[in-house]
Amino acid sequence: MIGTPLSSSATTALLLGSGELGKEVVIELQRLGVETVAVDRYADAPAMQVAHRRHVVDMQDADALRELLRRERPDVVIPEIEAIATGVLAELEAAQEWPLRVAPTARATVLTMNREGIRRLAAEELGLPTSPYAFVDTLEEFRAAADDLGWPVVLKPVMSSSGKGQSLVRGADDVEAAWEFAQTGGRGSQSTRCIVEGFVAFDTEITLLTVRHAGGTLFLDPIYHRQVDGDYAESWQEAPGEATMSQAQLASAQDTARRVTDALGGYGLFGVELFVTADGVVFSEVSPRPHDTGLVTLVSQDVSEFALHARAVLGLPVATTRWPGAAASWPVKVEGHGVPAFDGLAEAYAVDPSVQVRLFGKPRVDGERRVAVTLARGTTTTEARDRARTAAQALRVSLD
Ligand code: AMP
């Protein structure tokens, strides 16, 4: 049953993290008549602009988070980011002071907020192929682990995402600089602990969006993506017949995704990140929530990853139909300080009738930030990618 927003029967969803992905989730929840509450550590975050209520809270502050949840008493908490005091979610989900659900489960958010939790689950409990790895707390341990794993290695703070503090380390000479960089890139006080991974020479990397819902598990078509400095620069879904992955690779990817998502449990959409190599599929990581590379589903499917997440989390069945061609997304980033303003939209739309633009409405940029995305379809992957890129290049972002 779904009630009426702002009435005593309301079904309420509280988002922890209110970025561009959360904004799309809120819009989908609104369409289903859900009362939405958007939370983030800064004011006027994108999802706050479309939610019924908003709160500015440091979500890593356990006491502040507990107090907010007790005040709001939402039916469901939907984490949109990793940097949350997830222990509080586990505590309140277990205590059931009111009928609270965490999407997909509190345990999934605890395990995936830290690279160590999910890596140990995937590699050591489930026995899935991953890159070889070690966890290190000091420069000396890092040196020893890298020697052991063999060069090159990838160094990442365990509490980090989107390439923050991450580097590809080619040899012993680069160890100190990489370690220094990792110390500044993590989040929270435990930023020193890192994972060192052996480099996987993959043919391609994908996000396999996987939805656990009331009717079972749904796999979406693989999303291919290109990463620059650990952050997504472009993503696409192929037209049928282009088939970069073989049927066997796809089956193996789905098997891996099913095992990981079954272990995390609950209802919701997961972004399972996989490396595809000639020797098989290698598990990288998983987000128990919509994935940035999945922005492409806003044009590739009639029900996007955001709508699928909203439906699954509410306990509803899900299904979607693919646009029969290819589709692509191209995030637009800007660097500097100020309030963004956009020009060149007419030129972007003129690239092709399939082009769509999402301006996230981020209130301010300090450093480098993703502020928009362009989306396009095409008969082939090349055509869709060209259109999304050309549309993105037509946009001009100024910071005032
Ligand atoms: P992550 O934040 O772990 O998703 O890493 C971001 C990106 O860095 C991945 O999507 C890959 O392109 C690259 N990467 C991360 N780990 C490895 C690895 N062990 N071997 C090769 N590339 C990697």
Side-chain angles (χ1 to χ4, degrees):
M1 194 186 75
I2 297 180
T4 293
L6 308 175
S7 81
S8 59
S9 74
T11 302
T12 31
L14 182 145
L15 267 87
L16 292 177
S18 296
E20 58 268 29
L21 306 183
K23 178 178 174 183
E24 295 291 340
V25 172
V26 168
I27 290 169
E28 294 301 338
L29 290 165
Q30 296 268 16
R31 287 179 162 153
L32 286 166
V34 173
E35 186 172 310
T36 55
V37 186
V39 180
D40 212 317
R41 60 184 312 155
Y42 65 99
D44 300 335
M48 290 181 182
Q49 300 173 29
V50 290
H52 290 93
R53 275 191 302 291
R54 53 174 73 182
H55 297 284
V56 177
V57 166
D58 176 359
M59 295 167 288
Q60 298 198 73
D61 177 337
D63 292 334
L65 182 59
R66 189 183 299 104
E67 194 272 323
L68 172 69
L69 290 172
R70 282 191 172 138
R71 196 151 34 101
E72 279 286 351
R73 295 171 87 86
D75 295 298
V76 54
V77 169
I78 307 180
E80 190 236 9
I81 56 166
E82 284 130 14
I84 295 171
T86 52
V88 170
L89 303 184
E91 171 197 316
L92 291 176
E93 190 189 62
Q96 290 293 300
E97 290 170 25
W98 70 95
L100 167 71
R101 280 182 299 124
V102 176
T105 58
R107 182 170 165 269
T109 65
V110 171
L111 284 169
T112 54
M113 79 167 291
N114 180 327
R115 293 181 186 275
E116 185 163 0
I118 187 62
R119 178 55 64 104
R120 291 204 190 276
L121 172 74
E124 296 168 24
E125 280 182 47
L126 303 176
L128 295 171
T130 65
S131 59
Y133 62 91
F135 295 99
V136 295
D137 291 299
T138 63
L139 177 60
E140 290 63 45
E141 285 177 17
F142 170 34
R143 259 190 238 284
D147 272 340
D148 221 34
L149 294 168
W151 307 99
V153 296
V154 183
L155 181 72
K156 311 169 188 175
V158 291
M159 305 281 251
S160 72
S161 54
S162 304
K164 293 193 189 77
Q166 174 173 328
S167 33
L168 174 65
V169 194
R170 296 181 190 282
D173 289 349
D174 302 330
V175 159
E176 270 169 46
W179 185 254
E180 276 309 305
F181 183 54
Q183 301 315 296
T184 59
R187 51 167 196 264
S189 52
Q190 299 125 316
S191 64
T192 46
R193 190 161 172 84
C194 289
I195 182 170
V196 196
E197 296 184 25
F199 184 78
V200 179
F202 53 80
D203 295 330
T204 185
E205 64 177 317
I206 61 163
T207 306
L208 192 70
L209 295 178
T210 303
V211 197
R212 281 178 55 87
H213 60 106
T217 296
L218 174 73
F219 300 107
L220 304 184
D221 286 350
I223 296 171
Y224 297 87
H225 50 94
R226 187 170 57 80
Q227 301 268 328
V228 176
D229 298 331
D231 201 17
Y232 122 90
E234 187 189 6
S235 75
W236 61 94
Q237 277 175 312
E238 293 183 328
E242 292 184 313
T244 294
M245 286 172 71
S246 68
Q247 279 304 320
Q249 285 173 324
L250 190 59
S252 156
Q254 292 183 350
D255 179 59
T256 300
R258 187 187 293 278
R259 287 168 64 187
V260 170
T261 54
D262 280 354
L264 295 174
Y267 291 156
L269 174 139
F270 299 75
V272 183
E273 293 180 40
L274 302 166
F275 300 138
V276 182
T277 76
D279 301 326
V281 168
V282 176
F283 172 79
S284 175
E285 56 180 11
V286 58
S287 66
R289 65 183 74 93
H291 198 267
D292 52 6
T293 61
L295 281 162
V296 67
T297 62
L298 287 166
V299 294
S300 69
Q301 301 176 177
D302 60 350
V303 184
S304 73
E305 65 165 346
F306 309 104
L308 291 169
H309 192 51
R311 267 161 64 169
V313 161
L314 292 170
L316 304 173
V318 306
T320 185
T321 308
R322 252 306 292 281
W323 148 255
S329 81
W330 188 287
V332 177
K333 287 187 195 171
V334 64
E335 195 170 357
H337 298 273
V339 179
F342 299 83
D343 225 333
L345 281 140
E347 290 97 311
Y349 286 121
V351 170
D352 183 71
S354 75
V355 167
Q356 292 197 38
V357 180
R358 295 285 194 278
L359 305 181
F360 301 150
K362 287 194 178 161
R364 202 186 149 78
V365 170
D366 283 298
E368 192 187 45
R369 277 191 107 181
R370 195 189 297 160
V371 289
V373 68
T374 56
L375 306 153
R377 294 166 165 180
T379 311
T380 61
T381 292
T382 306
E383 191 172 62
R385 287 171 69 185
D386 280 350
R387 286 171 176 166
R389 189 195 67 244
T390 313
Q393 287 166 348
L395 289 182
R396 293 181 298 282
V397 189
S398 56
L399 294 175
D400 299 319

